[in-house]
Amino acid sequence: MHTGPTGNGPERTGDDAADPEFLALERELAVFLRRARASSGEMAREVHPELEPAAYGLLARLDDAGGRRATELAAYFGVGKATMSRQLRALEELGLVAREPDPADGRAWLVHLTDEGRDRFRRVRDARRARYVRKLAGWDRAEVAELARLLHQLNTRAEGGEPGTRRGPQSSA
């Protein structure tokens, strides 16, 4: 029997190479992400029947951060400029966002939520938060805080940052 790199037990090979904790994490994240995708579509339709599910997060970012350039939004979400331009154009056509000249650079434009966009987004966001409160009613507040902390740490690492830091403000979505 070979010991693993730490010398703390047998070396794992093949399908057995993953720790049971990471297999459980993968399984739970897959279920969580599947539910999140479905929920995102529902929330988007609640904001506006023609809103794409991916655009809900864009509304959340604009609500959190205020007016932003399309290039900043594309970088934040890790998408191309063409994708961001298409999403913003669709949001603009729905009356949820508007563009205005950037006071720092007259050649650039800032995208911001319209009053209607802000009202619709916040109504849906508040209803979602109320559902979280109901679903987690049996949890101790410290457990909710710990879950939020761990998710923040996971998101930060996924962005390539160090634990305890994050590019941009935390999302209220």
Side-chain angles (χ1 to χ4, degrees):
M1 172 190 293
H2 293 85
T3 58
T6 62
N8 291 336
E11 182 176 7
R12 296 171 190 245
T13 59
D15 289 342
D16 198 28
D19 292 325
E21 296 84 1
F22 286 97
L23 291 172
L25 174 64
E26 179 183 24
R27 181 179 56 250
E28 296 304 324
L29 279 175
V31 171
F32 178 78
L33 292 171
R34 188 172 339 131
R35 288 181 178 155
R37 276 190 293 274
S39 176
S40 184
E42 292 168 13
M43 290 181 302
R45 284 187 299 278
E46 288 177 36
V47 171
H48 192 285
E50 297 174 36
L51 186 65
E52 292 182 29
Y56 182 85
L58 184 52
L59 296 177
R61 177 66 180 156
L62 290 171
D63 190 54
D64 279 349
R68 290 287 179 256
R69 291 181 182 184
T71 53
E72 291 174 309
L73 293 167
Y76 182 83
F77 286 105
V79 299
K81 292 177 188 175
T83 298
M84 183 55 58
S85 179
R86 182 184 57 76
Q87 288 182 345
L88 290 173
R89 190 169 37 259
L91 289 172
E92 201 169 12
E93 288 170 4
L94 295 174
L96 302 174
V97 303
R99 299 171 195 249
E100 62 185 24
D102 184 344
D105 180 352
R107 300 168 296 168
W109 294 85
L110 294 179
V111 180
H112 62 88
L113 291 175
T114 61
D115 290 341
E116 180 182 357
R118 182 175 294 101
D119 291 345
R120 286 175 173 247
F121 168 75
R122 288 182 178 175
R123 179 181 42 80
V124 173
R125 179 200 60 196
D126 293 348
R128 181 182 62 173
R129 285 186 179 165
R131 285 191 298 268
Y132 287 162
V133 169
R134 283 192 306 277
K135 286 182 179 184
L136 301 177
W139 287 37
D140 182 273
R141 287 284 181 156
E143 291 174 317
V144 175
E146 179 66 0
L147 177 60
R149 185 190 70 76
L150 291 170
L151 288 171
H152 173 76
Q153 183 175 334
L154 180 65
N155 286 327
T156 300
R157 294 229 176 134
E159 292 172 355
E162 292 298 318
T165 64
R166 185 150 192 186
R167 287 186 236 156
Q170 290 184 11
S171 174
S172 67

